[in-house]
Amino acid sequence: MLILEGHVLPRLAGHVVLPVLCPCCAADCCLLGSGAYLCVKGYGSTATTYALRADYTRCPSDFTDDGQEMMCSSLVSAPESGKRYTGCSADGMCTCKPPYQKPLPEVYEGLGFEECSARVTPIGDTELTIAKPFVKEHELVETRGWSFYEFNVTDQDFQVVVNVAEEEDSACGEASGYFEVFLKYGQPPGWHYGQWDFRQAYQYYQTEEDKDQEVKFDAQTDGFQTGTWFAGVEGDDHSDCKYTITINKFECPLNCSGRGTCVHASNGTRFCDCQQGFFGRECANEALALEYNKAVMKAEALFEYDYYSLPEVASAALQNTVEVKVQASFSSADGYSDWVSARPELLLLKGDNAIEPTTANYTYKHILEVQNTMYEIGLGPSQLKEGLWRIAIYNPMRLYQIGYKLTAVKLAHCLNDCNGHGSCDDNGTCQCNSNWAGGDCSVNQASGGGCQEGSHKSTAMPGKHAIGYSTCECSGSTCEYTDSNTQLACDEGYTIQGSQKVGNKYVGGTCVKSSGGKSGTSAVGVFLWVLCSILLSFTVGGALLWLQQAGFLSMTWENIRNRITRGRGALDESLYHELSMDTGF
């Protein structure tokens, strides 16, 4: 080893060449054996003093910051027990001790096994199981170095998750450095493309303060294999890194996040049966419950999906005319200018407890084209009967913060507007004034009569799969609703059979389950028949009577109302009343 200290160069020193095979470098030169020179060349007009250290070894060597000589990543002056190597081979390779030796005869170059800087920690089968995660704190990966962890995956393991969290007193990641985790089957991974099987997916909404890195793969992921795997932690360019590593094995995706039950299907796959209110593959998603007619205001933030659920509508309201309008608008100071074609989306999905609306899976979608503009999607009674509805606000440009306003507005319409003798509540039910009664507040109790002639009463008939509509008929001084004139409006999936014509109505009959497809006539069909009737100068009542005589016997007025609701998402209540009154229904 050559050491020069306190040497003065008449010009500014700043360039070192090792070795230089020339007799003279026009600078201070030191001979390093036969024909080899180490030269320091100065620039500028100011003289300086410098120290020079050089070494010639067969194996990789270096100096510490304070000038101590190192070989094979160990101090040359260290005792044998403190060295990472046992010797230096004839071809200049370090013979490294465990845990710094190669785990396999052939590994990727540049990982540090050549100079004993890469460390391999084997994890035993009893140290890592489905019931027991592997956790190791205060781990250290050296500057520009690697630390590897070797573990086994069996056919009982469905998913593996590796999490590396930088510790608070670590300087890793500063000064534009990096800190990454890679996984590779059968050998230690490298950072070059093709040298790893899995790495952390890029998180668009990850903040600079988030120092955790997570890599996960499972039996349904391409590249999953049973056998030996290596997790590699690559160090920072500028400083050593301190971290905690956690490796988990799960029998279902993330063990259903503790919010569901793992189901082993007969075909060998596994999935989560989520608890009420949670959904997604790992039961990790939760939909916030909206309140009707109460807006949700979210400040601008980074996210991809935000989920909500519609409140249930009371069963009584579903027998009446209630509709829901889901309204949304957005704002963004970050982006979404005219040159950005992507826009946030309002998504609605009907379904069960285990699914969520996405851009690939939705029932209704509305693109929010313009900022601070309200857009809406409407749902009618027949749609609300179809079960759970979830809502999602989707942000396609996850690097942009957006805020939004979201409201579920419930609108109710009562039969005959309660005839002016009551008020319509938010379930579409008449709350009658004093001395008035009936479904549409048409019964004058003060007069002593049982009902008002021509008024209507609805009665739920779950045993008959229908709602019955009776008309008040008077004989002398007695007025009453009778079963003999009851018209049936069959539930969804049932069709009327055996009804008889009485006057201009069809009464009685039985609701039977439809043999297939959707029963009844579509809203478009109703519209076209009515339009044709009007064009032929029929009365509205006569036109609809002709529809029934022409074979549309299953269409009660409630059917028509439901079809209009399903077809348009909202009921034109005035049209329904006009048709009802014109035909005496």
Side-chain angles (χ1 to χ4, degrees), residues 400-464:
Y400 293 162
Q401 297 188 66
I402 71 167
Y404 57 82
K405 178 181 179 181
L406 178 66
T407 313
V409 179
K410 184 167 72 170
L411 303 173
H413 308 279
C414 282
L415 184 63
N416 295 327
D417 290 331
C418 305
N419 285 294
H421 303 310
S423 59
C424 186
D425 67 16
D426 62 358
N427 287 326
T429 303
C430 285
Q431 302 297 323
C432 299
N433 298 335
S434 177
N435 295 325
W436 292 93
D440 58 355
C441 300
S442 60
V443 179
N444 189 346
Q445 295 178 320
S447 65
C451 59
Q452 182 175 333
E453 186 174 13
S455 63
H456 315 290
K457 180 181 73 171
S458 64
T459 304
M461 299 178 173
K464 294 186 177 182

Side-chain angles (χ1 to χ4, degrees), residues 184-224:
K184 178 73 175 175
Y185 175 78
Q187 67 181 100
W191 66 271
H192 292 285
Y193 182 77
Q195 294 182 348
W196 48 268
D197 292 325
F198 299 104
R199 66 184 298 183
Q200 175 171 276
Y202 182 73
Q203 301 293 327
Y204 292 93
Y205 34 84
Q206 187 175 28
T207 64
E208 294 181 359
E209 291 74 24
D210 190 353
K211 296 184 177 182
D212 287 11
Q213 294 230 359
E214 185 173 88
V215 184
K216 57 186 176 181
F217 64 99
D218 58 54
Q220 296 176 348
T221 307
D222 291 339
F224 179 90

